[in-house]
Amino acid sequence: MMMSKGSPFVLPAILFFLVLAAFPVRAADREAGRFFLMGDGKLHIKNMHTGREASVSLLMPDGSLDEKGFDRVDEVFGFPTAEKGEHISPRLIFMLDYFSDLAAPGKTIRMVSAYRSPDYNSSLRNAGGNVARTSLHIDGMALDFNIPGVDGKALWQIIKEKNCCGVGHYGGANIHLDSARPRFWEAATSKVRTGESDYNRRMYLSTDYDRYGSGEKVRLFLAAVSDFGFGVKRQAVIVDNSPEHRTVATAPIGLSGSGDCLRIGNRKASRFITLSLPPELRPGRYRIRIGFCEKPFEQMPDETLSNEIEILGRMP
């Protein structure tokens, strides 16, 4: 759910790189290549539980998000778009598009588990299902699916080698895909019901897009939250993508509240954390670090890093 409804998407990647090579990033050109992994922008998806299905285009001819297409994706996922004020994770959907084009272009993607409300997720877990308490299905960042004629283990291996996201295989044709931190597992290495994600230990910080212009506004959100009622420090830190994650800039977080510790009291608050990237940031790869305060558990980490982002150039 990485992007609020109405946000723009991208121009064709080839055009983008040709423009970037010659000029600073202009307003229109910034929209090119918003995601690191993108397919052809067309999907046929079917929810095997509800029977809902749709053939959709994700992009308009100018590269912007096709709102009607994404509304249909949300409907098939069972995602409450109006209530949430955002779509199912665009990064997830473009990853799904990319890998389905790679493995079986044009075939129907059959979803066996899509969006889950927190209550529904809890009911599955209480019934003994192999369901994580902080499942990314709750955050609209995951699905379990198969593609007719495609071996599940082979597809799992293809995605695993990209080191882009979360991918799990429990046997058979179905695999799990999510747009959180890169990791992979099989049935024997799954850590469901181990308590690893309790006490907010596995919270994940994500951005709407993969690519931005310097000075652009970024929406951040936290996923895999086990408990609410904690704070984030007002100043976020921009770090380089080296192993040392050296600090290159800071930026204030735009979240309601006073003081240096901004409260995250519910899921909605955790989904709309914003900041503006410093305009002096040079093109390159970075991550965003936020610190936590007023932690309810000593096991909770002091900070977390976002996914990798790429700065393309300065805003006009």
Side-chain angles (χ1 to χ4, degrees):
M1 314 177 340
M2 309 342 151
M3 190 180 66
S4 55
K5 273 178 68 78
S7 298
F9 267 88
V10 298
L11 293 172
I14 294 176
L15 174 61
F16 160 68
F17 285 113
L18 290 174
V19 173
L20 182 62
F23 302 103
V25 177
R26 299 174 301 175
D29 301 328
R30 289 190 284 109
E31 306 308 324
R34 280 291 199 178
F35 299 97
F36 294 147
L37 296 178
M38 298 178 65
D40 65 0
K42 299 182 184 299
L43 283 177
H44 188 123
I45 53 176
K46 181 174 182 177
N47 188 315
M48 303 306 292
H49 290 291
T50 66
R52 292 175 179 168
E53 64 181 309
S55 292
V56 299
S57 295
L58 303 176
L59 298 173
M60 299 294 285
D62 66 355
S64 62
L65 172 68
D66 188 327
E67 288 287 344
K68 291 183 179 179
F70 249 83
D71 284 344
R72 291 289 291 127
V73 170
D74 292 345
E75 182 181 346
V76 175
F77 267 78
F79 187 74
T81 313
E83 174 190 332
K84 298 288 188 180
E86 55 185 330
H87 288 300
I88 207 78
S89 165
R91 181 182 282 113
L92 172 68
I93 299 306
F94 276 101
M95 286 178 180
L96 182 64
D97 181 27
Y98 175 85
F99 288 116
S100 63
D101 283 355
L102 200 61
K107 289 198 173 182
T108 299
I109 297 164
R110 303 190 299 194
M111 297 190 300
V112 296
S113 183
Y115 169 73
R116 302 176 195 154
S117 70
D119 288 344
Y120 180 56
N121 193 74
S122 294
S123 70
L124 292 177
R125 184 174 171 83
N126 293 337
N130 190 33
V131 175
R133 180 186 175 198
T134 57
S135 171
L136 290 163
H137 290 267
I138 297 173
D139 297 303
M141 294 173 63
L143 80 159
D144 300 342
F145 72 101
N146 65 68
I147 302 175
V150 177
D151 180 76
K153 184 65 175 290
L155 183 55
W156 174 79
Q157 187 67 39
I158 289 171
I159 300 173
K160 171 187 169 184
E161 289 175 358
K162 278 292 183 181
N163 196 35
C164 62
C165 40
V167 59
H169 181 243
Y170 299 98
N174 296 337
I175 67 165
H176 166 101
L177 176 68
D178 67 58
S179 54
R181 62 173 57 84
R183 66 209 191 285
F184 58 89
W185 65 93
E186 297 180 84
T189 56
S190 170
K191 295 183 179 180
V192 172
R193 295 188 179 275
T194 64
E196 182 180 287
S197 62
D198 292 350
Y199 308 110
N200 290 332
R201 283 185 296 212
R202 300 296 290 171
M203 281 196 300
Y204 179 72
L205 182 67
S206 186
T207 61
D208 267 344
Y209 306 119
D210 293 324
R211 294 188 173 103
Y212 293 89
S214 296
E216 190 170 358
K217 187 175 182 178
V218 177
R219 181 167 75 102
L220 301 161
F221 45 90
L222 291 165
V225 181
S226 66
D227 298 271
F228 293 97
F230 57 89
V232 296
K233 295 181 180 178
R234 183 172 292 278
Q235 287 290 330
V237 179
I238 316 298
V239 302
D240 66 20
N241 206 34
S242 68
E244 297 79 19
H245 299 308
R246 294 180 292 261
T247 298
V248 297
T250 61
I253 287 175
L255 192 65
S256 61
S258 58
D260 294 328
C261 189
L262 306 173
R263 184 173 174 78
I264 304 293
N266 53 47
R267 193 173 303 279
K268 190 80 169 182
S270 73
R271 305 297 300 175
F272 293 92
I273 302 168
T274 62
L275 62 78
S276 293
L277 292 167
E280 67 272 15
L281 276 178
R282 302 176 65 180
R285 298 285 180 110
Y286 301 91
R287 294 180 190 266
I288 300 171
R289 176 191 291 141
I290 63 170
F292 297 115
C293 46
E294 297 182 5
K295 299 188 303 178
F297 315 110
E298 64 178 13
Q299 299 95 330
M300 184 173 163
D302 293 328
E303 59 188 27
T304 187
L305 278 174
S306 76
N307 52 283
E308 180 183 52
I309 63 172
E310 183 175 15
I311 304 300
L312 305 178
R314 295 181 183 276
M315 297 199 39

